[in-house]
DNA sequence: ACCCGGTTCTTGACACATCATCTATCGCGA
DNA sequence: TCGCGATAGATGATGTGTCAAGAACCGGGT
């Protein structure tokens, strides 16, 4: 490592730190509201939403992992915990002896249906209410651009 | 909870999901590069930076916690782990028998000085290179606005 | 029919985050 | 001076994330 590092300019640093800080605060805040209002963690919520999005409420581990961008192992642990709590169930796969489905249970469905409105309300109250729609669009566009860049840079 | 929830419009949802997804991907990616290149976690890095920013390289737990927005307990655990690895040290406080300082060690200083350039390079390569400066400014402004809103909404 | 590389998911070890609880000390007011 | 609430920080339990290794199965080539 030489000493010609291109450090961040004050302006860059200011924006960058704000962005990082926002990520942290927001994840913490949304997670905490989810937890106290609905007894769900962020990952719990993401998984239940993904399962609900599927018409059968039932996905292979791979598909689910891809849908929410979880690593295989992380998902495996997460599902194991959720099974204990009765939110989802495991179902063997006839066509492929290795694989398995994750199914949402009735309890899981009730839970997510109760949680979703509260979560949306929190998102609105904490974020959307703070910025005008055109800023949200701008945010979304920039985020999408960076995501594409990340995916290209090293999958 | 009634059934008049104001769900997100498709446009809102699109932007919101992109933003959340970016947060996850980015934290994962930056953390992973930090880990493999410098054997540091995100929290490790944040703490070492904060300590380096201080002229004495030495902060009270409270000050440090505030600087990086960590809860007290989280910081306590984190510092305990970092002490084991020799990155920081604990120093009793003469004026206040309850308190203590966290000091950066020589090894900690070497580590962060080696890590910082690589991290900045990663930030540049993964993010800044993907968007023009004016978009970064816009991002920073929006982030700052939401942060202010979050802090006002419930400190 | 069998081998063998690749796929699918699991598991164990360890780092990290959060919550509730605990200990020690501080400093103020009776 | 004593008592007592408030502050500083530590600790243990539990849930979450990552990595490395493993077990079971698939499918194609021989």
């Amino acid at each position: 490592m030489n000493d010609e590092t291109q450090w961040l300019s004050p302006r860059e640093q200011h924006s960058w730190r704000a962005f990082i800080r926002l990520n942290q605060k927001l994840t913490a805040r949304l997670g905490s509201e989810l937890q106290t209002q609905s007894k769900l963690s962020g990952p719990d919520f993401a998984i239940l939403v993904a399962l609900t999005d599927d018409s059968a409420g039932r996905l292979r581990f791979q598909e689910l992992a891809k849908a929410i961008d979880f690593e295989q192992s992380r998902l495996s642990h997460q599902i194991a915990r959720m099974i204990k709590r009765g939110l989802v169930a495991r179902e063997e796969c006839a066509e492929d002896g290795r694989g398995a489905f994750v199914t949402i249970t009735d309890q899981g469905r009730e839970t997510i249906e109760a949680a979703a409105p509260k979560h949306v309300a929190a998102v609105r109250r904490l974020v959307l209410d703070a910025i005008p729609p055109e800023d949200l669009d701008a945010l979304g566009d920039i985020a999408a651009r960076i995501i594409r860049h990340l995916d290209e840079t090293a999958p």
Side-chain angles (χ1 to χ4, degrees), chain A residues 18-102:
Chain A
F19 178 63
I20 288 300
R21 184 62 71 99
L22 174 60
N23 285 357
Q24 297 172 132
K25 288 208 177 205
L26 197 53
T27 333
R29 190 72 175 277
L30 284 175
S32 142
E33 299 218 356
L34 250 183
Q35 188 64 52
T36 63
Q37 295 176 350
S38 312
K39 314 281 188 196
L40 288 178
S41 69
D44 292 339
F45 187 84
I47 285 174
L48 293 180
V49 166
L51 288 178
T52 308
D53 279 352
D54 181 79
S55 59
R58 173 179 180 267
L59 289 171
R60 289 288 297 263
F61 272 82
Q62 296 295 338
E63 301 174 289
L64 183 49
K66 189 166 193 180
I68 60 179
D69 210 44
F70 269 36
E71 291 182 11
Q72 206 1 260
S73 163
R74 182 183 175 188
L75 183 59
S76 193
H77 283 298
Q78 182 67 33
I79 293 299
R81 288 185 297 259
M82 291 177 76
I83 289 177
K84 276 191 201 158
R85 292 192 286 148
L87 296 170
V88 299
R90 207 192 133 85
E91 196 176 314
E92 296 308 321
C93 178
E95 308 87 62
D96 189 334
R98 296 163 297 182
F101 290 96
V102 182

Side-chain angles (χ1 to χ4, degrees), chain A residues 120-154:
Chain A
V120 170
V123 170
R124 231 174 238 306
R125 172 168 39 85
L126 295 178
V127 181
L128 305 191
D129 286 353
I131 60 177
E134 59 269 25
D135 281 4
L136 181 63
D137 291 342
L139 195 60
D141 288 348
I142 298 176
R145 186 125 43 99
I146 301 176
I147 290 177
R148 208 177 321 125
H149 180 70
L150 283 178
D151 289 340
E152 284 162 0
T153 306

